[in-house]
Amino acid sequence: MNEYQPRHGATAPAKEPEGCLTAAVRLPVRIVMFVLVLPVRMVWDGLVLTGRALRRGVLVPVGRGLAWLGRTLVVAPASWLWRTVLAPVFRGIGLALVWTAKALFVWPWAGLWRYVVVPTARGIAVAVAFLVRVLIVAPLVWMYATLLTPLGHAVLAVLRGLGSGLSWLGRHLLLLPVVLLWRYVLAPVGRGIAVTLGWMWRWLVVAPVVGLYRYVLTPLGHAVVAVVRGVGAGLGWLGRYLIVVPAVALYRWVLAPVGRGLVLVLREIASAVVVAWRVAGRVTAAVFRCVGRVLYVLLVAPFVGLWRYVLAPMGRVLRDWLWRPLAVAARAVGRSLRAAAGSVRAALGAARESARATRAEIRRALFGAPRSKEREPLP
């Protein structure tokens, strides 16, 4: 564990004491910022409350109403029209167009390709293959087997003999004299020339250059380096005491205090704005809460009291002592009327059945028994 990392549960370091200048600047700046920020915060909170009320009371209901109207007047009729009218019509038109396109463009070309082009091409291919096999392949095979193969073997034997003879002549007339010339003439001469040139390069070029570098250029370079070092040291001393020291003094005794003062003022202004915004928020919250309470007491509380202590008890009394007994009586009357209607319906059904039986007896007594509806089969 790092020794500089604070341990778990360790207390935070204490805040450094502030100077008298900070304490003297802070209070006036915060008072001025509070006076300037309070109207802005009140206007801001008023706009926020107005926007919330407008959104809850106007925009949301209007948006819901417009959405309902759009669904009812536009979306539902359009979907019904598409589902019941346009989609079947377009589907039928598409099927008709597809069938027509196939009948005009696909089926004729498919029949032409299947029943005309393919058989004709197959016949032509078979005829061409037969002609090529008889007129070209068979003569070429016969020519290769009977003429070209023996001729090629003879040419190959002649070329092998010529190659062996030419190789013997080249080895004994060209290669052997060249090897002897290189081994006993050119190689010794080249070695002597190389030794001579190496000695001349060493004593005529390398030795003078090394002497020039060691006894002339090296002391001259050391002297130049010493001069440059001295000049650099002098210029560094002049730059230090003519530029660096005054700049450091200016920064340390002028710019740094002025910068600290500006940073202190800006930091206090920023903290004063934050504190003033928070205090103004609490003040505006208290003011709007008081105004809201007054408006509630003057406008909303009478209607709430009227509803709670007058209309609601009257509604309960009317519900318990008027509407419920009337509803129970109406249900009983409805049940009795339904029972009476059922009994009347049963009586009417019995009377209808008795009248039908009476008519059947009278018809049977006057005209005899009725014929069977089923016909007898022919013999």
Side-chain angles (χ1 to χ4, degrees):
M1 183 176 180
N2 192 0
E3 60 181 359
Y4 295 103
Q5 184 179 1
R7 296 181 179 179
H8 181 68
T11 58
K15 189 177 180 180
E16 296 182 357
E18 299 177 349
C20 59
L21 181 60
T22 304
V25 170
R26 179 174 298 171
L27 186 60
V29 170
R30 289 191 176 182
I31 293 173
V32 172
M33 287 298 106
F34 177 75
V35 173
L36 295 176
V37 169
L38 181 60
V40 178
R41 183 60 188 264
M42 293 186 71
V43 172
W44 175 259
D45 290 340
L47 292 175
V48 170
L49 294 176
T50 304
R52 289 179 182 174
L54 184 63
R55 181 175 64 86
R56 287 182 183 176
V58 178
L59 296 179
V60 173
V62 171
R64 291 176 180 173
L66 292 176
W68 181 82
L69 288 176
R71 287 195 301 269
T72 305
L73 299 179
V74 178
V75 177
S79 62
W80 177 84
L81 180 64
W82 171 260
R83 191 183 305 114
T84 58
V85 180
L86 296 179
V89 171
F90 288 155
R91 193 177 295 113
I93 293 172
L95 292 175
L97 291 176
V98 169
W99 187 86
T100 305
K102 287 183 178 179
L104 293 178
F105 299 104
V106 178
W107 294 338
W109 294 105
L112 179 64
W113 173 262
R114 184 177 297 172
Y115 300 108
V116 177
V117 176
V118 173
T120 305
R122 287 178 181 173
I124 293 172
V126 171
V128 170
F130 177 77
L131 291 175
V132 169
R133 187 182 299 112
V134 173
L135 298 177
I136 298 175
V137 177
L140 289 178
V141 170
W142 179 81
M143 184 181 294
Y144 177 79
T146 58
L147 296 178
L148 296 179
T149 302
L151 182 61
H153 292 170
V155 171
L156 183 61
V158 172
L159 292 176
R160 285 180 180 175
L162 290 176
S164 60
L166 291 175
S167 65
W168 184 85
L169 291 175
R171 186 183 300 112
H172 289 85
L173 296 179
L174 295 177
L175 185 61
L176 185 60
V178 170
V179 170
L180 294 176
L181 177 64
W182 170 261
R183 182 177 296 173
Y184 298 105
V185 178
L186 296 179
V189 173
R191 292 191 189 96
I193 292 173
V195 171
T196 304
L197 292 176
W199 183 86
M200 293 176 65
W201 172 262
R202 180 179 180 183
W203 294 106
L204 296 179
V205 178
V206 176
V209 170
V210 170
L212 178 64
Y213 175 78
R214 182 177 297 173
Y215 299 106
V216 177
L217 296 179
T218 300
L220 183 61
H222 292 169
V224 170
V225 169
V227 171
V228 170
R229 285 181 180 177
V231 173
L235 292 177
W237 184 84
L238 291 175
R240 179 181 181 184
Y241 288 100
L242 294 179
I243 298 174
V244 177
V245 173
V248 170
L250 179 64
Y251 173 78
R252 184 177 297 174
W253 302 107
V254 178
L255 298 178
V258 172
R260 292 192 188 97
L262 291 176
V263 170
L264 175 63
V265 171
L266 294 176
R267 185 177 60 196
E268 291 301 326
I269 289 173
S271 62
V273 168
V274 174
V275 173
W277 184 262
R278 293 178 181 174
V279 175
R282 295 183 180 180
V283 172
T284 54
V287 170
F288 283 114
R289 193 180 296 114
C290 180
V291 172
R293 187 65 180 174
V294 171
L295 293 177
Y296 178 80
V297 171
L298 294 179
L299 299 177
V300 181
F303 294 99
V304 174
L306 179 63
W307 171 261
R308 183 177 296 173
Y309 299 106
V310 177
L311 298 178
M314 290 179 62
R316 294 190 188 97
V317 170
L318 290 175
R319 182 191 62 188
D320 296 335
W321 296 95
L322 181 61
W323 298 116
R324 284 183 179 176
L326 290 177
V328 172
R331 291 193 191 96
V333 170
R335 285 194 294 269
S336 62
L337 290 176
R338 283 195 297 272
S343 61
V344 170
R345 192 180 299 110
L348 291 175
R352 191 181 299 109
E353 291 294 332
S354 63
R356 188 179 295 113
T358 303
R359 286 196 304 269
E361 291 293 336
I362 293 170
R363 188 183 298 110
R364 190 179 299 110
L366 293 176
F367 303 104
R371 296 178 58 183
S372 178
K373 294 182 180 180
E374 296 181 358
R375 296 181 180 180
E376 297 179 0
L378 294 175

mmCIF file of all heavy atoms in Angstrom, residues 19 41 71 81 116 158 185 204 278 363 372:
data_model
loop_
_atom_site.group_PDB
_atom_site.id
_atom_site.type_symbol
_atom_site.label_atom_id
_atom_site.label_comp_id
_atom_site.label_asym_id
_atom_site.label_seq_id
_atom_site.Cartn_x
_atom_site.Cartn_y
_atom_site.Cartn_z
ATOM 1 N N GLY A 19 -6.359 34.344 4.426
ATOM 2 C CA GLY A 19 -5.810 35.625 4.837
ATOM 3 C C GLY A 19 -6.887 36.684 5.044
ATOM 4 O O GLY A 19 -8.066 36.512 4.723
ATOM 5 N N ARG A 41 -32.559 34.960 -10.849
ATOM 6 C CA ARG A 41 -33.039 33.668 -10.349
ATOM 7 C C ARG A 41 -34.563 33.656 -10.236
ATOM 8 O O ARG A 41 -35.216 32.641 -10.553
ATOM 9 C CB ARG A 41 -32.397 33.366 -8.998
ATOM 10 C CG ARG A 41 -32.785 32.006 -8.417
ATOM 11 C CD ARG A 41 -32.382 30.897 -9.342
ATOM 12 N NE ARG A 41 -32.880 29.615 -8.929
ATOM 13 C CZ ARG A 41 -32.181 28.720 -8.206
ATOM 14 N NH1 ARG A 41 -30.933 29.015 -7.832
ATOM 15 N NH2 ARG A 41 -32.690 27.568 -7.881
ATOM 16 N N ARG A 71 -55.478 9.735 -34.914
ATOM 17 C CA ARG A 71 -55.780 8.306 -35.005
ATOM 18 C C ARG A 71 -57.194 8.064 -35.499
ATOM 19 O O ARG A 71 -57.445 7.151 -36.280
ATOM 20 C CB ARG A 71 -55.587 7.647 -33.641
ATOM 21 C CG ARG A 71 -54.147 7.491 -33.213
ATOM 22 C CD ARG A 71 -54.031 6.522 -32.049
ATOM 23 N NE ARG A 71 -54.809 6.972 -30.895
ATOM 24 C CZ ARG A 71 -54.343 7.739 -29.927
ATOM 25 N NH1 ARG A 71 -53.101 8.179 -29.983
ATOM 26 N NH2 ARG A 71 -55.113 8.091 -28.908
ATOM 27 N N LEU A 81 -59.228 1.855 -45.322
ATOM 28 C CA LEU A 81 -59.239 1.972 -46.783
ATOM 29 C C LEU A 81 -58.172 1.097 -47.411
ATOM 30 O O LEU A 81 -58.415 0.409 -48.410
ATOM 31 C CB LEU A 81 -59.023 3.440 -47.167
ATOM 32 C CG LEU A 81 -58.992 3.766 -48.669
ATOM 33 C CD1 LEU A 81 -60.340 3.460 -49.286
ATOM 34 C CD2 LEU A 81 -58.617 5.226 -48.880
ATOM 35 N N VAL A 116 -37.067 -24.976 -79.832
ATOM 36 C CA VAL A 116 -36.465 -24.625 -81.125
ATOM 37 C C VAL A 116 -34.952 -24.497 -81.013
ATOM 38 O O VAL A 116 -34.182 -25.176 -81.707
ATOM 39 C CB VAL A 116 -37.085 -23.315 -81.671
ATOM 40 C CG1 VAL A 116 -36.412 -22.921 -82.980
ATOM 41 C CG2 VAL A 116 -38.590 -23.473 -81.884
ATOM 42 N N VAL A 158 20.258 -36.693 -85.165
ATOM 43 C CA VAL A 158 21.244 -35.825 -85.817
ATOM 44 C C VAL A 158 21.680 -34.699 -84.897
ATOM 45 O O VAL A 158 22.869 -34.366 -84.790
ATOM 46 C CB VAL A 158 20.651 -35.286 -87.137
ATOM 47 C CG1 VAL A 158 21.566 -34.221 -87.741
ATOM 48 C CG2 VAL A 158 20.449 -36.419 -88.140
ATOM 49 N N VAL A 185 49.111 -16.403 -66.977
ATOM 50 C CA VAL A 185 49.485 -15.072 -67.466
ATOM 51 C C VAL A 185 48.735 -13.985 -66.714
ATOM 52 O O VAL A 185 49.314 -13.126 -66.056
ATOM 53 C CB VAL A 185 49.243 -14.950 -68.986
ATOM 54 C CG1 VAL A 185 49.605 -13.536 -69.466
ATOM 55 C CG2 VAL A 185 50.073 -15.986 -69.737
ATOM 56 N N LEU A 204 51.123 7.271 -50.569
ATOM 57 C CA LEU A 204 50.926 8.530 -51.280
ATOM 58 C C LEU A 204 49.606 9.231 -50.907
ATOM 59 O O LEU A 204 49.484 10.441 -51.135
ATOM 60 C CB LEU A 204 50.960 8.295 -52.808
ATOM 61 C CG LEU A 204 52.281 7.789 -53.376
ATOM 62 C CD1 LEU A 204 52.160 7.581 -54.875
ATOM 63 C CD2 LEU A 204 53.409 8.783 -53.065
ATOM 64 N N ARG A 278 -27.678 29.916 -5.098
ATOM 65 C CA ARG A 278 -28.354 29.001 -4.171
ATOM 66 C C ARG A 278 -29.267 29.757 -3.213
ATOM 67 O O ARG A 278 -30.430 29.362 -3.000
ATOM 68 C CB ARG A 278 -27.310 28.213 -3.388
ATOM 69 C CG ARG A 278 -26.505 27.250 -4.241
ATOM 70 C CD ARG A 278 -25.456 26.552 -3.399
ATOM 71 N NE ARG A 278 -24.648 25.641 -4.215
ATOM 72 C CZ ARG A 278 -23.587 24.978 -3.756
ATOM 73 N NH1 ARG A 278 -23.205 25.136 -2.484
ATOM 74 N NH2 ARG A 278 -22.922 24.177 -4.545
ATOM 75 N N ARG A 363 -109.404 -30.609 -39.914
ATOM 76 C CA ARG A 363 -108.989 -30.957 -41.273
ATOM 77 C C ARG A 363 -109.073 -32.464 -41.492
ATOM 78 O O ARG A 363 -109.458 -32.948 -42.560
ATOM 79 C CB ARG A 363 -107.568 -30.456 -41.507
ATOM 80 C CG ARG A 363 -107.138 -30.618 -42.964
ATOM 81 C CD ARG A 363 -105.698 -30.185 -43.131
ATOM 82 N NE ARG A 363 -105.496 -28.788 -42.803
ATOM 83 C CZ ARG A 363 -104.841 -28.357 -41.735
ATOM 84 N NH1 ARG A 363 -104.289 -29.253 -40.908
ATOM 85 N NH2 ARG A 363 -104.708 -27.067 -41.477
ATOM 86 N N SER A 372 -98.853 -39.276 -47.089
ATOM 87 C CA SER A 372 -97.479 -39.287 -46.582
ATOM 88 C C SER A 372 -96.592 -38.451 -47.501
ATOM 89 O O SER A 372 -96.761 -38.454 -48.723
ATOM 90 C CB SER A 372 -96.967 -40.729 -46.508
ATOM 91 O OG SER A 372 -95.631 -40.737 -46.073
#
